[in-house]
Amino acid sequence: MAKILLVDDEPSILSVLSTLLKAEGYEVTPALGGEKAKEFIESENYDLMLSDIRMVPVNGMELLRLVHREKPALPVIMLTAYGSVETAIEALKLGAYDYITKPFKVDELLITVRRALEHNKAITENEELKAQLGARYHLENIVAESQAMQNVCEMIKKVAPTNAAILIQGDSGTGKELVAKAIHAYSHRKEKRFLAVNCAALPEPLLESEMFGHMKGSFTGAAANKEGLMEAAEGGTVFLDEISSMPLAIQGKFLRVLQEKEVRRVGGNRDIPIDVRVLAATNTNLETLIGEGRFREDLFYRLSVIPIVIKPLCERTEDILPLAYHFLQVETPQGKPSPVLDPEVAAVLEAYAWPGNVRELENAIKHGVTFARDNKITRDVLPPKIAATQVAAPAPTGGDKVEKLDPEKAKSLKAFLRSKEKEYLKQVLSMASGDKEKAAKSLKISLATLYRKLPEADSPKV
Ligand SMILES: Nc1ncnc2c1ncn2[C@@H]1O[C@H](COP(=O)(O)OP(=O)(O)OP(=O)(O)O)[C@@H](O)[C@H]1O
Ligand SMILES: [Mg+2]
């Protein structure tokens, strides 16, 4: 039986609502006034709170803030007098689930209550499901709004079930490791290990023993026999990060391991058969290194049976805001509403060049979430370098010409239409001086659709 906390400072309303909800089978705790409700919120757990907004001395908005802090998962429905919709919208922004205007129709009230309870149940179940899936790298967790990133996801799905060696190329922070983990997670090796080694982090002798293992006494400090990563990952995947830093001597040995599917520990005299899939990543162009004699061409061809190239973030700007929202969600503790991005911040994020790519964006959002005020991320809480970004004035409309049309580089029609649609929505919103209801009305779409199509219009619901 769902437990409902009912708050009003008017005894007659409290009594009527209480009778009504009890008749529906709910367990109701009536609280006469905000002060009383505070005690209940702090000491008990409820499935729903139904509260009047206008009460003295503690009003509904204050209670909402308290719930936000203390019981973020508790859905709240606000009751408001007819004509004070502004306050109700304010309440939605503060995270209330919905509001009902007084005088209300009984049916409407009961439907809203049922919906809020269902919604809460779905969220709780979803959280449980997410927790079960744990840290698995599902493609759903890879933000891919741009065509370039969608192609990468397609590749992941295609190559994951094979045993082919894959070379993942991309600048620092573009998501190479994420892609490698997704390939592993989608392969038949997923129950086995995914072991990563950073070839730039270890000096030559250590890298060699880390990869291939060693026998006791084979070098100073080799106190016992030790298996290397290639052995330890048996049946699974080895991820060689920054492969360009692999010393030439190890490149030769590694090539042999790949060809023979056998590994010999340092100081050992026995070849151990292995079944390991190799994924490698690089942020430098290996072909250039081959030209300079710093990377073996034969190893390059072994490793890059299938190359996957991840573009820098500045070349796939459609991904910027979806990634920002993704990280906002990731950074928000479970059950709490995610902070919203100030529209100006959305423009700044889109205009910034992101030399550190997705990782830099992730860090910027973390920074923003840490310093956000009133759950809002404004320009001044971004890292200073990003906050200083100049945002160009919006281009005059009608200038849709595509300069130097290169069919290879053209956006998909869907992506183009989506970006144009967004531009138009932003314009109408600004014509309506930011009044979203007004804008939605002129556009003849619902408010919810406006928020969905233009998430940067700070959404009241999370
Ligand atoms: N498309 C994406 N969707 C969601 N998260 C992403 C995406 N791309 C990158 N990330 C996240 O950004 C961060 C950096 O990604 P990752 O470590 O995979 O990059 P990298 O290319 O290996 O970087 P480096 O070259 O610095 O090692 C990680 O937290 C990763 O989960
Ligand atoms: Mg990496």
Side-chain angles (χ1 to χ4, degrees):
M1 191 178 5
K3 285 171 72 180
I4 300 180
L5 176 62
L6 184 62
V7 194
D8 207 309
D9 57 356
E10 185 65 59
S12 58
I13 295 188
L14 202 59
S15 147
V16 169
L17 276 174
S18 185
T19 314
L20 193 73
L21 291 169
K22 276 182 189 161
E24 286 296 303
Y26 298 120
E27 190 183 325
V28 182
T29 306
L32 186 62
E35 203 62 69
K36 194 78 207 145
K38 268 176 148 180
E39 285 172 35
F40 285 130
I41 292 168
E42 272 156 352
S43 60
E44 272 288 326
N45 284 324
Y46 298 96
D47 299 304
L48 174 70
M49 177 169 101
L50 197 62
S51 170
D52 191 18
I53 292 189
R54 212 180 296 165
M55 296 182 293
V56 277
V58 178
N59 68 25
M61 300 300 259
E62 265 184 76
L63 288 183
L64 192 57
R65 283 192 198 95
L66 177 73
V67 167
H68 198 63
R69 271 199 317 274
E70 306 284 338
K71 302 279 160 77
L74 174 64
V76 177
I77 297 174
M78 303 304 268
L79 295 168
T80 173
Y82 179 75
S84 52
V85 174
E86 282 82 352
T87 344
I89 292 189
E90 215 31 64
L92 292 186
K93 283 191 183 163
L94 280 175
Y97 172 77
D98 210 337
Y99 67 88
I100 296 171
T101 38
K102 293 196 269 191
F104 50 79
K105 293 198 189 84
V106 172
D107 277 351
E108 184 198 5
L109 175 93
L110 293 178
I111 287 172
T112 310
V113 165
R114 207 176 314 141
R115 256 189 29 226
L117 289 167
E118 280 301 315
H119 177 80
N120 205 35
K121 207 169 116 213
I123 288 195
T124 326
E125 277 166 9
N126 196 287
E127 294 298 352
E128 279 164 12
L129 192 73
K130 263 208 304 222
Q132 277 169 20
L133 292 175
R136 295 264 169 88
Y137 287 82
H138 274 256
L139 282 180
E140 297 90 90
N141 292 333
I142 300 185
V143 174
E145 186 71 21
S146 64
Q147 192 58 50
M149 220 37 221
Q150 282 174 22
N151 293 346
V152 168
C153 289
E154 280 307 307
M155 283 289 269
I156 293 174
K157 276 193 268 181
K158 278 201 195 117
V159 302
T162 72
N163 266 330
I166 291 168
L167 180 66
I168 306 163
Q169 304 168 60
D171 291 351
S172 172
T174 46
K176 298 184 292 296
E177 185 153 354
L178 181 74
V179 166
K181 285 175 174 163
I183 293 173
H184 174 73
Y186 274 80
S187 74
H188 61 272
R189 299 172 177 270
K190 64 173 182 286
E191 303 302 335
K192 298 286 171 59
R193 288 169 158 172
F194 173 94
L195 296 178
V197 59
N198 185 335
C199 302
L202 296 173
E204 184 172 328
L206 285 186
L207 178 61
E208 186 176 4
S209 104
E210 179 73 13
M211 286 180 64
F212 311 129
H214 62 247
M215 300 307 286
K216 183 177 171 182
S218 56
F219 57 87
T220 330
N225 295 344
K226 183 176 168 281
E227 68 172 7
L229 286 181
M230 300 301 289
E231 269 180 76
E234 179 61 22
T237 306
V238 163
F239 175 55
L240 296 157
D241 206 357
E242 304 207 31
I243 186 92
S244 58
S245 301
M246 185 182 272
L248 275 170
I250 300 188
Q251 288 180 29
K253 290 182 186 168
F254 185 50
L255 180 67
R256 196 186 141 263
V257 170
L258 293 179
Q259 281 166 343
E260 310 295 327
K261 298 193 169 52
E262 283 176 346
V263 66
R264 183 179 288 203
R265 293 183 186 178
V266 177
N269 54 11
R270 191 169 66 88
D271 291 323
I272 305 158
I274 50 158
D275 166 27
V276 170
R277 184 191 201 163
V278 172
L279 305 176
T282 178
N283 56 21
T284 23
N285 188 325
L286 291 185
E287 275 147 322
T288 316
L289 296 187
I290 293 170
E292 293 166 359
R294 293 197 289 153
F295 204 87
R296 289 181 66 129
E297 193 172 13
D298 43 9
L299 179 60
F300 172 75
Y301 287 115
R302 272 269 158 192
L303 289 175
S304 63
V305 173
I306 301 174
I308 293 186
V309 180
I310 313 180
K311 283 190 172 180
L313 189 54
C314 63
E315 286 179 28
R316 45 184 173 102
T317 46
E318 301 97 307
D319 288 338
I320 296 175
L321 287 182
L323 277 165
Y325 290 110
H326 169 76
F327 293 131
L328 275 177
Q329 246 179 9
V330 173
E331 291 307 317
T332 309
Q334 272 189 15
K336 296 216 178 201
S338 309
V340 292
L341 291 185
D342 199 63
E344 189 197 19
V345 166
V348 166
L349 296 182
E350 281 187 314
Y352 182 68
W354 302 109
N357 294 295
V358 185
R359 177 169 300 109
E360 187 180 13
L361 176 57
E362 183 178 22
N363 291 340
I365 297 295
K366 278 188 192 161
H367 190 282
V369 169
T370 309
F371 296 106
R373 284 179 302 269
D374 299 329
N375 225 26
K376 191 165 197 166
I377 296 186
T378 42
R379 190 195 267 261
D380 59 318
V381 299
L382 293 176
K385 199 172 129 200
I386 299 166
T389 308
Q390 299 277 342
V391 180
T397 47
D400 287 350
K401 61 176 186 295
V402 183
E403 279 168 50
K404 271 207 235 135
L405 189 66
D406 174 354
E408 298 272 323
K409 289 196 183 134
K411 279 184 187 177
S412 75
L413 182 61
K414 206 167 115 198
F416 174 79
L417 292 176
R418 207 182 294 133
S419 80
K420 284 291 147 198
E421 179 181 86
K422 242 180 177 177
E423 222 171 76
Y424 181 61
L425 292 175
K426 281 183 188 167
Q427 272 174 18
V428 174
L429 190 58
S430 113
M431 268 151 53
S433 319
D435 182 334
K436 282 141 220 144
E437 272 174 288
K438 209 162 149 190
K441 218 174 204 170
S442 329
L443 292 159
K444 296 200 172 52
I445 56 174
S446 73
L447 195 53
T449 308
L450 177 64
Y451 279 121
R452 191 166 45 74
K453 288 184 179 287
L454 197 65
E456 52 269 56
D458 50 347
S459 162
K461 277 184 204 170
V462 186

